[in-house]
Amino acid sequence: MITLYGVYRSRASRPLWLLGEIGCDFTHVPVIQAYRLTDAKAEGAALNTSSPEFLAVNPQGQIPAMEDDGLLLTESLAITLHIARRHGGSLGPADGSEQSLMEQWALYAATALEPPALEILLAIEAGGDTLPETRAAIRVSAEKLRRPLNRLERHLRAHDWLVGDRFTAADINTAECLRYAQGHPELLRDYPQVSAWLARCQARPAFQAFWAKREAEPV
Ligand SMILES: N[C@@H](CCC(=O)N[C@@H](CS)C(=O)NCC(=O)O)C(=O)O
């Protein structure tokens, strides 16, 4: 039985979306980021990334973490790949080559997409187009995304999905890392295949169900 630690408004989104796609039973422990707790009462009450009980699970003090039949994993993209491989049926790899491709897309998402996409999200939250410094920061980060997005756009001209011409955990990992840049639609408009693929991913009932639960969580 899987135990997944982490609230919906976090990188736990990746395995939570996947678990919804699979429809398997799991125990959800909604650990919240310690920095999001503002008053002392909440800090005492909510299980958070600084709670001793959670640090005993993940000494790094970050979510998500996952236990599955004695196996502990503490990286969101590795958790998603593991769940897909062991429990995901067609959402996981059919053979060793697909496994390698899924690992490739996870590493691409973590190294080429997530850092600049997250910079865009943070700059938008800090002022976006209204301040010269955040406007400049968004421009710089968007430039960093262009070469990786060229690579993804080219792939999606020939395929609807990233691996095996079906929706898999590779799409979840990559779409969730790129989601951070969605507040900059001018950038994504330059990549029509990527935009259409992202829309296909996010139209899935399991994404919509995950998103409704995320929206229901306090900001
Ligand atoms: N590389 C890790 C990053 C995890 C991470 O940064 N998690 C954030 C929430 S999205 C967190 O736990 N922040 C709390 C903290 O760092 O104190 C992963 O993808 O699993």
Side-chain angles (χ1 to χ4, degrees):
M1 170 73 116
I2 294 171
T3 302
L4 201 279
Y5 300 84
V7 290
Y8 282 87
R9 288 182 185 272
S10 76
R11 289 174 177 85
S13 63
R14 299 151 187 188
L16 285 168
W17 175 5
L18 174 64
L19 285 161
E21 293 276 355
I22 297 170
C24 71
D25 283 342
F26 66 102
T27 303
H28 185 204
V29 184
V31 178
I32 190 169
Q33 297 93 330
Y35 65 77
R36 288 178 55 202
L37 297 172
T38 46
D39 65 80
K41 193 162 155 252
E43 268 167 49
L47 187 60
N48 65 77
T49 49
S50 295
S51 302
E53 304 94 298
F54 180 64
L55 290 172
V57 175
N58 182 6
Q60 200 174 341
Q62 288 192 322
I63 48 174
M66 183 218 66
E67 287 165 338
D68 182 18
D69 203 14
L71 175 73
L72 171 71
L73 293 175
T74 57
E75 280 295 327
S76 59
L77 303 179
I79 292 169
T80 306
L81 290 176
H82 164 80
I83 294 172
R85 188 176 58 245
R86 190 177 280 182
H87 306 280
S90 67
L91 293 158
D95 55 30
S97 296
E98 285 197 1
Q99 175 68 29
S100 298
L101 286 169
M102 288 188 190
E103 288 165 0
Q104 172 202 253
W105 285 114
L107 290 166
Y108 159 87
T111 59
L113 292 187
E114 187 181 74
L118 206 48
E119 286 168 9
I120 289 176
L121 179 74
L122 295 176
I124 289 171
E125 286 175 359
D129 276 346
T130 63
L131 301 173
E133 59 271 26
T134 48
R135 210 166 37 238
I138 291 170
R139 204 167 40 244
V140 169
S141 301
E143 267 324 293
K144 292 183 204 166
L145 277 172
R146 287 195 179 276
R147 290 208 307 176
L149 287 178
N150 285 340
R151 195 261 183 265
L152 187 55
E153 181 76 5
R154 184 79 66 89
H155 175 90
L156 290 167
R157 271 186 214 142
H159 305 277
D160 282 347
W161 306 107
L162 296 190
V163 175
D165 283 322
R166 64 186 191 280
F167 179 81
T168 68
D171 297 288
I172 292 179
N173 278 341
T174 309
E176 275 301 277
C177 289
L178 187 54
R179 176 163 62 80
Y180 297 138
Q182 263 183 290
H184 187 24
E186 297 83 357
L187 171 69
L188 287 176
R189 260 202 292 275
D190 291 343
Y191 300 92
Q193 300 299 332
V194 172
S195 299
W197 160 81
L198 201 50
R200 279 197 296 283
C201 289
Q202 294 177 349
R204 295 180 66 83
F207 178 87
Q208 295 288 322
F210 144 72
W211 194 256
K213 287 183 185 156
R214 185 184 182 280
E215 292 290 290
E217 266 184 12
V219 178

